[in-house]
Amino acid sequence: MTNIWTIIQYLILGLVQGVSEPIPISSSGHLVIFRELFGIEAEGLSFEIFVNFASLLAVLVIYREDIIRIIKNGWLFVTKKSEAAKSDFNFIIYLIIATIPVGVVGVLFGDAIGEALSNTKVVGVTLLVTAAALWMIRNLRGRKNDGDLTMKDAVIVGLAQTIAITPGISRSGATIVASMLIGMRQETALRFAFLLYIPVSLGTTILEVPDMVQSPDFQAMLIPHIVAFIASFIATYFALKWFMNIMAKGNLRYFSYYCVVVGLLVIIFL
């Protein structure tokens, strides 16, 4: 029987994943840090993918109206060539294009990169890289809306997302930084980043489900995993709502400060 301390540890890990997934401080990096603090040994990426799926569900809930509109308009353009729906159809195409680089890199090298670089010293350094990237865009105010995006924009953001396979490099941070550097408005950058997160997270989950459910660690720790899943879903929902407000106010520099402090503490003490 699972002891209460183990459940508390996994509850905290779920909360860490949920809070850090939508904001640009790297959820994978923070899971590495807290696993080190708790002394939790984890083979493979099953737990991370499991709680990441909970974050995905929260993102789907928050962006459900955008998702429904884009799908409806995309279908409307395909079937009736409605010019009013063309912008949303193009948005779908750009999301698909931006997904391809990380899909290829993830399938070929994802596990190797994740396992090779999942140590605290690497996370400390990559958090400093994330801090520098966020500092670069702290004052940017782009003009591109959804309808102004191009194929080139999609490729650039897609390539930026591949960097986030490295623990400590924030996925949301990498995509938002790239989006704002090429001139997107904060709202557009945020929406593109999180709608792009959906196919990537969904694809990763589908590919890893067989290994996940067959893992002895997953089956033996089912209750802690479920607790972490619920905590991740709830924390992601509220963290993303909060971050949307932060983006609207343009206060990304505070996340840069945070990543510097945590990165240095990790390098020095862990």
Side-chain angles (χ1 to χ4, degrees):
M1 184 176 178
T2 306
N3 63 55
I4 189 66
W5 173 234
T6 300
I7 292 176
I8 292 172
Q9 287 179 324
Y10 275 75
L11 170 64
I12 294 172
L13 288 177
L15 291 172
V16 168
Q17 158 66 28
V19 170
S20 59
E21 179 59 52
I23 62 179
I25 60 172
S26 178
S27 59
S28 60
H30 278 71
L31 284 178
V32 170
I33 294 169
F34 275 82
R35 278 174 169 168
E36 177 73 15
L37 291 173
F38 289 149
I40 297 176
E41 296 291 335
E43 297 294 330
L45 301 173
S46 293
F47 174 76
E48 183 177 331
I49 292 167
F50 186 65
V51 289
N52 188 271
F53 181 62
S55 292
L56 169 63
L57 294 180
V59 171
L60 288 173
V61 171
I62 289 176
Y63 281 101
R64 63 189 182 279
E65 293 181 1
D66 288 295
I67 294 168
I68 292 170
R69 188 199 73 244
I70 290 170
I71 292 174
K72 281 184 176 179
N73 286 343
W75 179 249
L76 190 61
F77 181 79
V78 169
T79 56
K80 298 185 178 179
K81 300 299 180 184
S82 169
E83 282 300 313
K86 185 176 181 180
S87 175
D88 281 331
F89 173 78
N90 288 339
F91 199 83
I92 294 173
I93 298 300
Y94 297 150
L95 286 172
I96 293 171
I97 291 170
T99 301
I100 293 172
V102 75
V104 173
V105 174
V107 169
L108 295 178
F109 309 111
D111 288 344
I113 293 172
E115 292 178 12
L117 300 181
S118 288
N119 68 75
T120 53
K121 296 302 182 187
V122 171
V123 169
V125 173
T126 52
L127 280 173
L128 296 180
V129 173
T130 295
L134 292 172
W135 184 256
M136 281 195 308
I137 65 164
R138 67 192 185 282
N139 295 322
L140 291 184
R141 298 291 184 272
R143 296 183 177 180
K144 288 184 180 179
N145 293 307
D146 293 7
D148 300 320
L149 304 186
T150 65
M151 195 81 71
K152 180 182 177 181
D153 295 336
V155 172
I156 291 172
V157 177
L159 291 173
Q161 186 171 226
T162 64
I163 302 171
I165 291 177
T166 305
I169 299 293
S170 166
R171 192 212 62 83
S172 63
T175 51
I176 288 171
V177 166
S179 297
M180 293 184 66
L181 283 175
I182 58 179
M184 290 189 201
R185 293 174 59 248
Q186 291 98 319
E187 183 183 351
T188 301
L190 189 66
R191 181 162 47 251
F192 193 80
F194 282 100
L195 291 181
L196 182 57
Y197 168 73
I198 293 169
V200 173
S201 180
L202 189 59
T204 302
T205 302
I206 292 172
L207 288 174
E208 294 293 333
V209 162
D211 292 336
M212 194 187 307
V213 297
Q214 293 171 14
S215 169
D217 179 63
F218 180 82
Q219 296 177 14
M221 301 287 288
L222 185 58
I223 292 177
H225 276 74
I226 291 174
V227 169
F229 185 92
I230 295 171
S232 179
F233 174 84
I234 294 171
T236 299
Y237 180 87
F238 288 105
L240 180 50
K241 284 285 191 180
W242 173 69
F243 184 54
M244 292 167 80
N245 186 49
I246 293 291
M247 279 290 289
K249 295 178 179 178
N251 291 331
L252 287 175
R253 66 184 182 278
Y254 296 115
F255 297 109
S256 179
Y257 301 153
Y258 173 85
C259 288
V260 168
V261 172
V262 174
L264 290 175
L265 288 175
V266 167
I267 292 171
I268 296 169
F269 296 108
L270 294 179

